[in-house]
Amino acid sequence: DLRTTNNGDIKVVVEDGTLRVKPGADGDPAVDANGTGDILVDVREIGNDIVFDGGIQTDTGNIELHAADDIDINASVQTGGSGAIYLRADNNALTDTAPSGIDGIDVSGTITTASGDVYITATTVNGNVRINSDISTSGTADSHGDVALVAGDDVLLNADITTGFGDVLFNAANGTVEN
């Protein structure tokens, strides 16, 4: 488990190699930033992925995951307050180390914010965004909690998106939006 206290941030930068995160002990999130602490995970080398099999959580901070290639999320991603969630896969490899069939971003765990935005993007030509679990933002009249799914190829939605006051954007630049 990777945790902070006293509003501490968590920043993990991987210069070369795929990052795999296993579930936390006793069902706890694998990565947990306290209070306003932000979480940043950045995998920089071409062809390398982020694979999360354990939950990611911060009380009210932002969560940003950036992979040079693909992102595979198989656990919950959660923040409260106005904390936002940003997932970006550059999808820059012709061969993938992520599980078979992932080319861009694949989410099989719930994504939840209180009133922050959710932005999920894989904008290269072959980049797909595949959502297999629900996305929800409660939102308020002042802080809407918008959701954007942007792909260079297809947006594949096999789940519900719920926003309190926010907008939902689907953009499949070279492909289709399927629900």
Side-chain angles (χ1 to χ4, degrees):
D1 297 0
L2 182 57
R3 299 184 192 294
T4 64
T5 58
N6 298 322
N7 300 314
D9 295 334
I10 296 173
K11 296 183 182 190
V12 177
V13 176
V14 178
E15 292 294 340
D16 188 13
T18 289
L19 176 68
R20 282 187 185 275
V21 179
K22 297 188 179 209
D26 302 323
D28 294 333
V31 179
D32 188 355
N34 172 266
T36 60
D38 293 331
I39 296 171
L40 168 66
V41 176
D42 188 3
V43 174
R44 296 182 174 174
E45 183 65 29
I46 291 175
N48 291 304
D49 306 319
I50 295 173
V51 180
F52 263 93
D53 293 322
I56 309 162
Q57 170 181 302
T58 178
D59 295 330
T60 61
N62 297 314
I63 297 171
E64 181 176 353
L65 306 181
H66 168 245
D69 196 26
D70 302 319
I71 296 176
D72 181 23
I73 303 215
N74 302 299
S76 65
V77 179
Q78 179 177 339
T79 184
S82 61
I85 297 172
Y86 305 99
L87 308 179
R88 186 180 105 207
D90 291 344
N91 194 43
N92 59 20
L94 297 177
T95 59
D96 293 314
T97 59
S100 177
I102 295 173
D103 204 14
I105 298 177
D106 187 271
V107 178
S108 295
T110 58
I111 295 181
T112 307
T113 72
S115 59
D117 296 331
V118 175
Y119 186 68
I120 301 174
T121 178
T123 57
T124 57
V125 174
N126 296 329
N128 296 307
V129 172
R130 184 178 306 134
I131 307 296
N132 299 307
S133 293
D134 295 345
I135 297 174
S136 66
T137 66
S138 303
T140 66
D142 295 326
S143 182
H144 298 133
D146 298 328
V147 175
L149 305 178
V150 180
D153 199 16
D154 297 322
V155 173
L156 308 166
L157 182 63
N158 299 309
D160 292 328
I161 295 177
T162 305
T163 64
F165 291 85
D167 295 323
V168 177
L169 167 72
F170 299 104
N171 183 346
N174 295 314
T176 59
V177 175
E178 295 179 24
N179 185 2

